[in-house]
Amino acid sequence: NPGRHPAPPGRVMETRSSRLPVSVTFISTYICNIICEHCDLWRFREKELLTHEVWAMLKDLSGQGVRSVSFEGGEPLTRSDIGELIFIARGCGITSSLVTNGTLVTRSLHKLGGLSLLSVRLFWADGFMDGGPVYASSLEAIDAAKKTGLNVAASVVLTKANIKALPAILADCAAVGVHAAFTRLSRHCHSNDNSRIGSILPDENELEGAMRQLAGREGQGVSLGAPVLKASNAAFDCLSGDCSFVITPSGAVAPCKCLLTAKKWPNGLEMGFQAAFTEAGKSHCRRLKASNG
């Protein structure tokens, strides 16, 4: 939208526009089969929408003009009905993508045929996670998925461990023929407690070095997600809470994943998703930061 501009630094933006979203991230489950130092989402628990409730949600979203849904987690492939949810989305005229750590992809390939994109997160050794076997398994999953004709991409969150292994990661992505998107490790993440990620958070010099390595390869199978060098996406003209929203496993609607723990969010299943989008859209990073001092 060329008519929109970032707010001046330090200024609290007014309520976002009342337009309904064109894309939604659906955290289909908080359950995950691996534990990562930089993510606490697997600790979260809330009642998950049942298959028929997700169907009702997707039908509602389609009627409001939502055109794409990303199934995320946790690990969405831990949901036994994920294949059915992908099929339902397609029947509602909604394109769907799925973000996974890759470890359950090979045994789930028969469920993924309706996806527009399978995004596999590549992890090097970090924190609690046994990175080597997971990394290798994810690469194998990418290769297997591509052989079935799926559109596959890789995503990498930059940490102290993998930032030193960029040449190897880039070579591996090139070997299996996938586009790789690199993003910064956020202090917000999915956690109430960000204290543990300090040891794996790259400093600015490391990030600048990574940027130099990656910038020369943009458009050649590599992309840089904003922000890579900035401390917070609040400095950008973020569309969260305007054109995109996040829906939690129970149906609560928030502007983005970074704000999941900021307040109690309206539940679309209870009040209707149009009303929930309108209510959630009144809050975003700048406004919440200002109200919290």
Side-chain angles (χ1 to χ4, degrees):
N1 187 344
R4 300 179 73 240
H5 301 280
R11 178 181 173 184
V12 179
M13 296 175 67
E14 298 304 320
T15 303
R16 298 249 184 200
S17 76
S18 59
R19 289 180 299 168
L20 295 171
V22 294
S23 66
V24 164
T25 295
F26 175 41
I27 303 176
S28 57
T29 182
Y30 285 137
I31 296 171
C32 193
N33 62 323
I34 62 174
I35 297 174
C36 301
E37 179 72 4
H38 66 276
C39 179
D40 263 3
L41 202 62
W42 59 274
R43 297 179 185 271
F44 288 25
R45 287 292 182 270
E46 64 182 42
K47 184 178 179 181
E48 296 180 1
L49 298 181
L50 300 176
T51 305
H52 73 276
E53 292 173 321
V54 178
W55 177 85
M57 177 187 78
L58 292 171
K59 186 177 180 180
D60 187 346
L61 297 182
S62 176
Q64 295 184 48
V66 172
R67 292 293 171 258
S68 65
V69 169
S70 176
F71 292 101
E72 300 187 14
E75 173 49 59
L77 295 182
T78 62
R79 278 193 70 131
S80 61
D81 63 349
I82 191 64
E84 189 173 355
L85 300 186
I86 294 168
F87 178 79
I88 290 170
R90 188 173 185 176
C92 290
I94 297 175
T95 61
S96 59
S97 58
L98 186 142
V99 179
T100 174
N101 60 48
T103 57
L104 303 179
V105 164
T106 303
R107 74 184 192 191
S108 305
L109 285 173
H110 63 289
K111 302 178 180 181
L112 307 179
L115 288 174
S116 62
L117 176 67
L118 178 68
S119 178
V120 180
R121 286 186 171 142
L122 290 178
F123 299 97
W124 209 259
D126 276 318
F128 299 132
M129 191 172 56
D130 188 1
V134 173
Y135 180 77
S137 176
S138 297
L139 285 174
E140 292 169 4
I142 290 172
D143 189 45
K146 283 178 63 66
K147 287 177 179 177
T148 68
L150 281 172
N151 182 25
V152 188
S155 63
V156 181
V157 178
L158 294 172
T159 66
K160 275 188 175 295
N162 66 29
I163 210 167
K164 298 175 182 177
L166 284 182
I169 294 173
L170 290 168
D172 288 337
C173 288
V176 294
V178 292
H179 179 97
F182 293 82
T183 56
R184 178 184 175 128
L185 173 61
S186 171
R187 285 192 178 276
H188 296 288
C189 207
H190 308 307
S191 178
N192 284 314
D193 176 12
N194 292 308
S195 61
R196 293 190 306 279
I197 72 169
S199 63
I200 64 172
L201 187 68
D203 61 34
E204 296 302 324
N205 289 333
E206 290 172 318
L207 283 169
E208 288 175 3
M211 174 66 83
R212 286 193 294 270
Q213 289 187 65
L214 297 171
R217 301 187 60 165
E218 280 194 279
Q220 302 175 18
V222 171
S223 66
L224 301 177
V228 172
L229 293 178
K230 299 295 183 181
S232 169
N233 62 3
F236 292 82
D237 193 17
C238 179
L239 297 180
S240 294
D242 186 354
C243 295
S244 63
F245 285 84
V246 169
I247 299 176
T248 75
S250 68
V253 175
C256 72
K257 287 183 284 188
C258 294
L259 298 178
L260 284 180
T261 61
K263 58 179 286 186
K264 180 176 175 60
W265 296 102
N267 190 289
L269 197 67
E270 298 171 357
M271 65 188 300
F273 282 94
Q274 181 172 356
F277 288 138
T278 300
E279 181 63 27
K282 297 176 182 178
S283 301
H284 50 87
C285 291
R286 290 181 185 274
R287 180 175 294 280
L288 287 173
K289 284 181 178 180
S291 63
N292 291 332

